[in-house]
Amino acid sequence: MSGSPKYSSAELRRQQQERLEAERRRKAAEEARLRAEAAERERRRRVENLRGRATQEQQSVATKIQQQQSAMYAQDTSALQQRCQSQTNIIDRSQDESQLQKAIAELNQILQDCEKAVIRKRRDDEEKKRKEEIERLQFELEELEREVGRIPESDASKFDSSGQNAVKQALETVRSALATGNPQKVTTPLENATKTVKQHSEKVAQRRAEWEKRKAEAEKVVGQIQEVVTGLKADPVVMRWHSHSIAELEGELQRANQALTSEEFDLPAQILAKLKEKEKQIIEEANTAQLKADKRDYITQSIVTTLQEMGFSILSVDDEHTGHPATAKIFRAAAAGRAINVSVPIEGQVWYDVDGYEKATVASVADGTPTAICDEAEQVLTEMHTALQNEFGVQMGEVTWQGKEPNRIANKAEKLRAQGEKGKSK
């Protein structure tokens, strides 16, 4: 035989073949049972392992829900807890791997929904905080607007117009920032607006107080001007001699009142200072003039009384110019067909005009020119002058007239002395 492999067919007899096949079927069935039992044990092991895993997942999810309870809405917490509990029942009862897998998947979904619930509430809370902050900032803006509204528009423009414009711009900036809905964009503009409004409010209040003070002082001064004018008008002597000046002072009073209206608060004090000087001058001049008038009236009354004592009758004493306080006093004294017209001025010479007395003309001693004389009238007036001095203290000067001979006084005095001596010798 060669060295190559050799082969030959072998066949069993039919009986032997059937016996082997039957044995094989028996053993295959046993093997199938063993495989099935082993597979069932493996399946149960996996189910139990999966159940344990699912139980752990369920406990972890339940714990997570409990921990996040305060971070979720109550209804979300309740719903998640119910879903978690439903999976617990399934895990406890289920013998099916797919059901347990589904339970685990549901638990993972529950966990994700828990996170979503937390995020949703956090977002809602943040939105609420944002809205609350926006509302708070809106309230702050409205408070600023109310504070600005308490400042009268006229005062704001009068005492701080630049600040008024700055406030309007600052508030508009805050409104624009609020419109964005982002509180962070509002904070700085609101702080600036608050500061601007405060400065504006304080400046207006301060300047108005200063304005009120100046106005009150000016009103007080105008009152003092009124007092001066009223006082002078109540003085009959001032009104007699300086009524025209009082009219001028009333014009100054009107000018001071107009200064109040036009807010020229410094002007009344200037007017008062000048008016005080004018008041002093008016009073002094009025008193001086009245003293002259009193002197005129005293002299007039003294002459009237003296002439009456000398037998003259006086009808009335009149003003030469009616209604003028500085006019001369005039009257007519009459007796036995003779009359003396008298004019007493407020100052200067007393004038006489005689009627009914004998007059003569003589040559002047100095140059021989004709000179009018009226010895009888002169004697009456001289007698009256003497009585005025003795009884009333009114010292009258020599009776004279235009063209009177200067040496006549000395000659007449010499003649009178001679007559006196002659009378004594008898």
Side-chain angles (χ1 to χ4, degrees):
M1 300 178 72
S2 63
S4 59
K6 310 300 188 286
Y7 53 86
S8 175
S9 61
E11 295 288 341
L12 293 178
R13 289 181 300 186
R14 183 173 177 273
Q15 184 180 5
Q16 186 65 30
Q17 183 68 32
E18 290 177 353
R19 186 180 63 79
L20 288 176
E21 289 177 355
E23 182 67 19
R24 172 78 335 244
R25 284 194 298 272
R26 184 187 66 78
K27 287 183 180 179
E30 180 64 19
E31 290 169 357
R33 182 185 66 79
L34 292 175
R35 287 196 306 273
E37 289 178 353
E40 179 62 18
R41 287 194 300 274
E42 179 61 24
R43 186 189 68 77
R44 290 180 179 177
R45 185 187 67 78
R46 287 199 309 273
V47 166
E48 291 305 319
N49 287 341
L50 193 56
R51 192 191 313 279
R53 176 184 161 196
T55 300
Q56 289 180 350
E57 288 288 335
Q58 186 275 336
Q59 291 174 350
S60 176
V61 171
T63 300
K64 184 71 171 179
I65 293 173
Q66 184 65 31
Q67 290 174 343
Q68 296 292 341
Q69 182 174 1
S70 61
M72 296 184 292
Y73 292 114
Q75 61 268 28
D76 288 340
T77 301
S78 178
L80 290 170
Q81 287 176 338
Q82 288 179 5
R83 288 171 62 188
C84 188
Q85 184 60 42
S86 296
Q87 299 311 308
T88 300
N89 296 334
I90 293 173
I91 292 170
D92 291 343
R93 294 194 306 268
S94 178
Q95 297 300 321
D96 186 87
E97 186 175 357
S98 62
Q99 289 183 337
L100 291 173
Q101 289 289 359
K102 289 181 180 180
I104 291 173
E106 176 63 14
L107 288 170
N108 287 332
Q109 186 61 49
I110 291 172
L111 188 60
Q112 292 178 18
D113 290 345
C114 178
E115 291 295 331
K116 291 179 181 179
V118 170
I119 292 172
R120 181 167 58 253
K121 186 174 186 301
R122 183 169 60 245
R123 286 179 176 175
D124 289 349
D125 289 345
E126 288 300 318
E127 179 63 14
K128 183 179 179 181
K129 289 180 182 179
R130 184 191 68 81
K131 288 182 178 180
E132 289 177 349
E133 183 64 10
I134 287 293
E135 289 177 358
R136 185 189 69 81
L137 294 171
Q138 179 67 39
F139 174 78
E140 293 293 336
L141 172 61
E142 292 171 356
E143 281 294 292
L144 286 178
E145 291 174 337
R146 279 188 283 270
E147 182 175 349
V148 173
R150 286 191 290 270
I151 303 174
E153 185 76 14
S154 57
D155 284 2
S157 58
K158 180 183 183 68
F159 299 114
D160 188 24
S161 59
S162 60
Q164 182 186 34
N165 294 330
V167 165
K168 290 179 179 178
Q169 183 176 356
L171 293 179
E172 184 58 35
T173 301
V174 176
R175 293 188 195 99
S176 299
L178 277 170
T180 66
N182 186 350
Q184 294 180 351
K185 292 185 178 181
V186 182
T187 302
T188 299
L190 183 62
E191 290 176 351
N192 292 336
T194 301
K195 181 179 179 181
T196 302
V197 169
K198 181 180 179 182
Q199 291 175 342
H200 176 59
S201 177
E202 290 176 350
K203 186 171 290 185
V204 170
Q206 178 184 356
R207 291 181 177 178
R208 178 171 182 81
E210 294 172 352
W211 180 85
E212 290 283 1
K213 181 179 178 181
R214 292 183 63 222
K215 181 183 178 183
E217 291 174 349
E219 288 175 342
K220 179 181 178 182
V221 171
V222 172
Q224 292 173 337
I225 295 174
Q226 178 70 64
E227 292 170 5
V228 171
V229 173
T230 301
L232 290 174
K233 289 175 70 175
D235 188 332
V237 173
V238 169
M239 293 303 295
R240 182 178 302 122
W241 298 100
H242 265 288
S243 58
H244 61 286
S245 296
I246 300 304
E248 293 176 2
L249 295 185
E250 287 180 325
E252 289 298 293
L253 173 60
Q254 182 178 1
R255 192 161 73 97
N257 279 309
Q258 290 173 346
L260 285 179
T261 303
S262 60
E263 298 185 10
E264 299 176 81
F265 296 140
D266 294 332
L267 183 56
Q270 300 172 13
I271 294 175
L272 178 61
K274 294 180 180 179
L275 188 141
K276 282 288 188 181
E277 295 179 1
K278 186 67 175 179
E279 176 192 30
K280 182 179 179 181
Q281 177 186 350
I282 288 173
I283 293 173
E284 289 178 352
E285 290 179 357
N287 284 330
T288 300
Q290 186 59 44
L291 181 59
K292 292 179 181 180
D294 292 343
K295 179 180 178 182
R296 173 201 63 192
D297 295 345
Y298 181 77
I299 293 173
T300 299
Q301 189 58 44
S302 298
I303 293 174
V304 168
T305 302
T306 301
L307 287 174
Q308 287 175 336
E309 291 175 352
M310 293 172 64
F312 288 86
S313 61
I314 312 296
L315 294 179
S316 64
V317 178
D318 300 313
D319 291 335
E320 184 176 8
H321 301 286
T322 304
H324 197 296
T327 188
K329 294 292 185 179
I330 58 175
F331 61 91
R332 182 179 179 84
R338 297 175 181 179
I340 302 176
N341 295 308
V342 182
S343 175
V344 183
I346 197 165
E347 58 183 345
Q349 301 293 331
V350 177
W351 289 85
Y352 306 108
D353 185 12
V354 296
D355 289 329
Y357 288 93
E358 183 180 352
K359 297 179 181 179
T361 301
V362 297
S364 171
V365 176
D367 56 10
T369 59
T371 302
I373 62 172
C374 186
D375 291 339
E376 186 179 7
E378 182 180 7
Q379 183 178 354
V380 170
L381 294 176
T382 301
E383 180 183 349
M384 179 188 70
H385 286 185
T386 302
L388 285 173
Q389 181 172 355
N390 294 334
E391 295 183 28
F392 298 101
V394 178
Q395 186 170 355
M396 302 294 290
E398 176 196 356
V399 178
T400 185
W401 55 87
Q402 186 177 4
K404 180 179 181 180
E405 172 60 49
N407 294 326
R408 177 176 169 78
I409 300 173
N411 294 337
K412 186 175 181 180
E414 183 63 29
K415 183 178 180 181
L416 290 174
R417 279 197 300 273
Q419 290 177 350
E421 291 175 356
K422 184 177 181 180
K424 289 178 181 180
S425 63
K426 289 181 179 181

